[in-house]
Amino acid sequence: MPSVNISLSLALNVTDKEPDFQSLEMLGILYWILNLTVVESVFYLVVAFLLFLIGRHFIEKLQINNLSKRAVFITGCDSGFGRGLALKCLEQGMPVFAGCLTEQGIESLSAEARKSIGNGRSLDAFLMDVTSDESVGEVAKRLEKKCEQYGGLHAVVNNAGITGKHIADDFLDINEYLKVANINLWGPIRTTMAVKKLLKKARGRVVTVASICARVGLPGLGPYSVSKYGVSAYCDVIRQELRPFGISVHVLEPGFFNTPLINREKIDAEILEAWKHAPNEVKQEYGEKFFNDARESTHLFLNSVASSQISLVVDAYFHAITSKHPRSRYQIGWDSILLFIPFSYLPTGLQDYIFAAAGLFLPKPACR
């Protein structure tokens, strides 16, 4: 069939090398099998993709039943996403076990649950430090007793986290990496392992927040990016290992949101502390002008991309907990969906060129 071969070669732009893009291969296959032109192939692929999105939308709206019997354990409920999720679950009548780092967090969450929802009875808030084996172990014992009536634990939500210092690696030491990893990486691992037995009883779910920084390592966010890459990898591993036990694992990849995690005053204080304790050699390499300009660019970046719609993340959490067909990964926020996720699929060399081009408009070290 020479005509088909010629047409297929044209559709695929065949040379002595294999085509680089799977999309072109797909168009060629469609042409060869269905005798479609390239334009027709593109049209039908777009239609198929739209039908997929519509079908997924309706399938994902299906919710599990008996929410009042589905116990949920959430870490980091003092503020932000964890607090919002705890209140949303309570609104839907779900039993909520909320781990808080401070007594103030417990009191304010309990008061808001009673006042705004009128459902303080389904809330059990307690002190918890995800960096402590002893604290997590005590919580696991507490849950083991209280979850008997629910047939185990329906979901653990690993929400507790910090960003660490927003500054270049030269201004950090190993302790900063250890501090951030102890909360963002070892915390979820420690917590998940402690309640795994209860999850197996209920054939439950592990829901963990990662970040777009688990896809793209951003300059100035070294400890945070390292910890989020790690926790994402952990979830990918246990997703396969726990499937035979009926446990599903879900990861959230939000962009930047205006929560206490990126409080501008906190970030500025941490940057100032890093500069203060940096070796004199590093200060001379970078210069005070670089330091001041870097502070300003950090605030400009956060003010440009950070969203105030934290309900988007809370809703994604809730969907992962209650949907009959939850996603394995959730991308949340315009910056995550339109900027960082597409960027993460580019070849590393092209990413480097883009970072280099962006660097032309960023502060430069004095000794560059």
Side-chain angles (χ1 to χ4, degrees):
M1 298 176 65
S3 60
V4 172
N5 290 334
I6 293 172
S7 300
L8 180 58
S9 297
L10 290 174
L12 290 173
N13 192 23
V14 171
T15 63
D16 56 344
K17 296 181 180 180
E18 288 294 321
D20 291 329
F21 300 101
Q22 290 184 352
S23 57
L24 291 179
E25 293 177 355
M26 179 62 72
L27 293 177
I29 292 171
L30 285 174
Y31 184 94
W32 185 65
I33 295 176
L34 304 176
N35 199 28
L36 299 175
T37 65
V38 172
V39 174
E40 289 172 335
S41 299
V42 171
F43 172 77
Y44 285 117
L45 284 173
V46 170
V47 170
F49 181 66
L50 291 175
L51 290 174
F52 161 76
L53 291 178
I54 293 171
R56 186 180 71 171
H57 171 74
F58 286 104
I59 289 174
E60 288 186 341
K61 290 184 72 173
L62 299 175
Q63 193 177 81
I64 59 176
N65 53 19
N66 296 327
L67 292 184
S68 62
K69 300 296 183 183
R70 310 277 187 168
V72 179
F73 168 38
I74 309 167
T75 67
C77 292
D78 297 77
S79 61
F81 303 140
R83 184 189 186 93
L85 177 62
L87 294 171
K88 187 176 181 68
C89 290
L90 289 170
E91 286 177 355
Q92 301 300 316
M94 302 182 76
V96 173
F97 298 96
C100 298
L101 187 61
T102 65
E103 289 283 1
Q104 183 181 359
I106 295 174
E107 293 171 2
S108 61
L109 175 60
S110 301
E112 187 169 355
R114 290 191 299 267
K115 181 179 178 181
S116 62
I117 304 173
N119 187 9
R121 291 175 300 174
S122 297
L123 173 66
D124 183 5
F126 43 79
L127 288 175
M128 179 184 181
D129 179 1
V130 298
T131 69
S132 166
D133 289 335
E134 181 181 359
S135 176
V136 173
E138 290 176 356
V139 169
K141 292 177 182 177
R142 181 192 194 108
L143 294 176
E144 192 168 352
K145 293 178 181 178
K146 297 201 171 187
C147 285
E148 287 182 2
Q149 59 183 312
Y150 306 117
L153 183 64
H154 171 67
V156 57
V157 179
N158 293 304
N159 170 75
I162 61 172
T163 58
K165 294 174 181 174
H166 291 63
I167 199 164
D169 182 75
D170 280 346
F171 292 91
L172 305 175
D173 58 25
I174 191 64
N175 291 323
E176 181 67 16
Y177 281 87
L178 293 173
K179 180 184 76 175
V180 176
N182 205 13
I183 297 172
N184 293 358
L185 175 55
W186 309 129
I189 294 176
R190 183 181 287 112
T191 301
T192 301
M193 295 182 75
V195 300
K196 199 182 295 182
K197 180 170 63 174
L198 295 174
L199 291 169
K200 289 180 178 179
K201 285 184 179 180
R203 300 176 69 84
R205 304 177 182 187
V206 178
V207 183
T208 303
V209 64
S211 168
I212 53 90
C213 289
R215 298 283 194 120
V216 180
L218 293 180
L221 282 173
Y224 184 73
S225 297
V226 168
S227 68
K228 291 302 183 180
Y229 265 92
V231 79
S232 181
Y234 174 68
C235 289
D236 286 342
V237 170
I238 63 171
R239 179 181 297 112
Q240 312 309 326
E241 294 177 348
L242 297 180
R243 181 176 288 114
F245 299 95
I247 297 175
S248 60
V249 180
H250 314 275
V251 176
L252 272 63
E253 297 175 331
F256 290 88
F257 285 83
N258 278 317
T259 68
L261 204 64
I262 58 169
N263 177 275
R264 308 302 192 270
E265 293 180 0
K266 176 183 76 71
I267 289 174
D268 204 47
E270 290 175 341
I271 293 175
L272 286 168
E273 181 188 6
W275 172 263
K276 179 181 177 181
H277 292 98
N280 289 331
E281 181 183 355
V282 173
K283 290 181 179 178
Q284 292 173 3
E285 283 181 341
Y286 283 84
E288 194 164 348
K289 183 179 185 305
F290 169 88
F291 170 71
N292 291 325
D293 290 346
R295 288 171 61 194
E296 291 183 11
S297 63
T298 297
H299 290 298
L300 178 63
F301 172 77
L302 293 176
N303 291 335
S304 301
V305 303
S307 170
S308 60
Q309 295 181 284
I310 66 170
S311 61
L312 295 176
V313 179
V314 172
D315 290 344
Y317 265 141
F318 188 73
H319 187 272
I321 295 169
T322 62
S323 174
K324 280 188 176 180
H325 305 284
R327 302 181 189 181
S328 295
R329 299 186 105 82
Y330 292 80
Q331 287 81 40
I332 313 148
W334 73 266
D335 54 335
S336 176
I337 296 170
L338 301 179
L339 181 60
F340 293 110
I341 296 299
F343 181 85
S344 70
Y345 288 111
L346 297 178
T348 302
L350 182 54
Q351 290 183 12
D352 289 343
Y353 279 120
I354 294 173
F355 273 124
L360 297 175
F361 305 95
L362 296 175
K364 309 291 190 302
C367 301
R368 60 191 174 99

